[in-house]
Amino acid sequence: MSVQERKQRERAERERLIVATARELAEQQGWDAVTTRRLAESIDYSQPVLYSHFRGKREIIGAVALQGATELAVTVRAATAAADGPRERVAALARAYLDFAERNPAVYDAIFQLDGGLAYAQEDTPEPLKDAFAALLECLGEVAGDGVQPGLFTETFWACLHGLVTLTRAGRLPPHETGPRVELLVDRLAVL
């Protein structure tokens, strides 16, 4: 291995460490606790080393969002692949999405709530974000109904799921009613 290859590998490893540490800190204490100073202390590197990887917290949030979007796509695809029939796939998608948001609140916020400097729904949207949407579209497109554009239906269904996540987390909806909400959403919105 050349010196340059070793340096590139070490740089990539430091970057993974920064992102993992930011994610862990955010999940434990919230995104307000994630500062470059705390991250530098946690990973035992100086702040200039952090800034050599990321220009600031916003880019770190973006890196966590991209990682989380990849994980969300994998989670949704795994859940829908294990289900039989369109209704079961849509219900599995909804449960997997809500479960992902509940288990990873800081990552969910990085993807959907915080400014990570990422473009959404544009030509230059990063591939992991496009793929997360594609994972939803793969399942939901088949139940959009006649004359309904699959992408538009997927956006609407996703907005409903996001609303459930947001309102439940804010204490505006009781969490014990999540199951019946998913059933209602699947039965009333999807054409099965």
Side-chain angles (χ1 to χ4, degrees), residues 20-143:
T21 303
R23 181 177 174 162
E24 182 179 328
L25 188 57
E27 291 292 2
Q28 291 173 356
Q29 299 177 32
W31 278 105
D32 287 342
V34 179
T35 64
T36 53
R37 177 174 288 176
R38 284 188 81 180
L39 282 174
E41 290 170 1
S42 296
I43 64 172
D44 210 21
Y45 284 102
S46 67
Q47 283 183 290
V49 170
L50 249 75
Y51 285 116
S52 74
H53 290 273
F54 300 98
R55 285 182 284 197
K57 182 176 176 177
R58 181 179 186 217
E59 284 189 5
I60 294 169
I61 290 170
V64 170
L66 294 176
Q67 186 181 76
T70 298
E71 293 169 12
L72 178 60
V74 168
T75 298
V76 166
R77 285 187 176 112
T80 58
D84 290 326
R87 186 194 187 289
E88 291 76 17
R89 279 192 294 280
V90 173
L93 177 146
R95 285 189 298 271
Y97 183 97
L98 296 172
D99 184 55
F100 178 88
E102 184 179 346
R103 285 184 293 108
N104 306 284
V107 172
Y108 188 86
D109 286 348
I111 302 169
F112 299 115
Q113 304 279 77
L114 301 175
D115 179 9
L118 304 172
Y120 286 79
Q122 298 175 22
E123 198 167 301
D124 61 340
T125 298
E127 197 55 42
L129 298 177
K130 288 179 181 178
D131 190 50
F133 184 78
L136 300 176
L137 181 62
E138 289 161 12
C139 175
L140 295 171
E142 69 180 17
V143 297

Side-chain angles (χ1 to χ4, degrees), residues 95 98 175-184:
R95 285 189 298 271
L98 296 172
H176 68 277
E177 293 291 335
T178 298
R181 283 188 202 98
V182 166
E183 296 301 315
L184 181 63

